[in-house]
Amino acid sequence: MKKPRRRRFSMIRDFQVADFLTLGNGFAGTGSMLATMKYVASGDVTFLRLAFGLLPVALFCDFLDGRVARARREVSMLGQELDSLADLVSFGVAPAALAFGLGMRGGWDAIALVYFVACGISRLARYNATASQLADEGGKVKYYEGTPIPTSLVLVALFGALAANGRIGAALPGGAIELGPWELHPIVLLFVVSGSAMISKTLRIPKP
């Protein structure tokens, strides 16, 4: 007897409604990074405003996609992986790019921002690997280990307020200090704190 032919995976055909919202999250985060680069290249603050404005759009899509997936009973491994990748772009790499665009461009700043993004990668990978262990009988995860990566938008809001008041570049709070061969803007250490909170095993945040 002939075995039934396995249907080939189709990237578009196998997408669910929620997956398109997840892509919206990733698109907004990528747009924010490109707008930041355009601001650095041109100095036009319109692009800086766009870079800030696209991240709440990413957050809205991230908030909505899980709810749509559960409401339509379309939760899938593909959706979970898409969500993690989109979150990394929008809430990890894009805020780090914004920090660079706002003036945190010293060598120590770069190390702090790379550490922040690496923590975000680790946080998302750990969640994917342990979600099934943390889930209750209904499949719902009751709490996060460490802060969720979208909490980085607290920093984005802070730097948005500073940018609105002209406190960027040479006017960043705390200024800049020379440490050995490189420059450090002390305010970049907020990203180190945020990244460390994401990978903490002792912090348990209730999951809505």
Side-chain angles (χ1 to χ4, degrees):
M1 185 176 174
K2 221 176 169 183
K3 287 185 179 179
R5 193 175 175 185
R6 291 180 64 187
R7 184 171 70 85
R8 291 182 60 189
F9 176 78
S10 168
M11 196 63 178
I12 301 300
R13 189 173 59 226
D14 289 340
F15 267 20
Q16 309 293 342
V17 173
D19 296 334
F20 288 102
L21 289 167
T22 305
L23 285 179
N25 171 4
F27 289 163
T30 303
S32 176
M33 286 190 288
L34 293 175
T36 298
M37 288 190 278
K38 185 66 175 177
Y39 165 71
V40 171
S42 68
D44 187 343
V45 295
T46 302
F47 292 105
L48 184 59
R49 294 191 191 103
L50 180 61
F52 277 109
L54 283 170
L55 293 183
V57 175
L59 183 64
F60 176 74
C61 290
D62 185 52
F63 174 82
L64 207 56
D65 63 2
R67 281 149 185 79
V68 169
R70 286 190 292 274
R72 295 174 61 89
R73 297 183 180 178
E74 293 175 344
V75 178
S76 67
M77 184 59 71
L78 173 64
Q80 179 177 300
E81 295 302 325
L82 279 174
D83 187 64
S84 291
L85 293 169
D87 283 358
L88 175 61
V89 171
S90 299
F91 311 125
V93 183
L98 256 176
F100 179 89
L102 294 174
M104 287 161 261
R105 304 176 191 175
W108 296 116
D109 299 336
I111 290 174
L113 295 174
V114 168
Y115 170 79
F116 166 76
V117 174
C119 288
I121 295 171
S122 303
R123 167 70 179 77
L124 291 165
R126 183 179 70 187
Y127 178 79
N128 286 351
T130 61
S132 60
Q133 301 169 23
L134 299 175
D136 59 20
E137 292 179 357
K140 180 175 173 58
V141 177
K142 291 185 176 180
Y143 62 85
Y144 296 106
E145 286 186 335
T147 53
I149 193 171
T151 56
S152 65
L153 290 198
V154 173
L155 291 180
V156 171
L158 169 63
F159 285 108
L162 291 175
N165 288 282
R167 300 296 306 276
I168 59 176
L172 278 167
I177 57 177
E178 294 294 332
L179 281 178
W182 297 327
E183 186 178 63
L184 170 72
H185 291 84
I187 198 167
V188 80
L189 296 178
L190 291 175
F191 283 90
V192 174
V193 173
S194 177
S196 298
M198 283 192 280
I199 60 174
S200 169
K201 289 274 294 178
T202 55
L203 280 174
R204 292 192 172 184
I205 313 298
K207 189 177 186 298

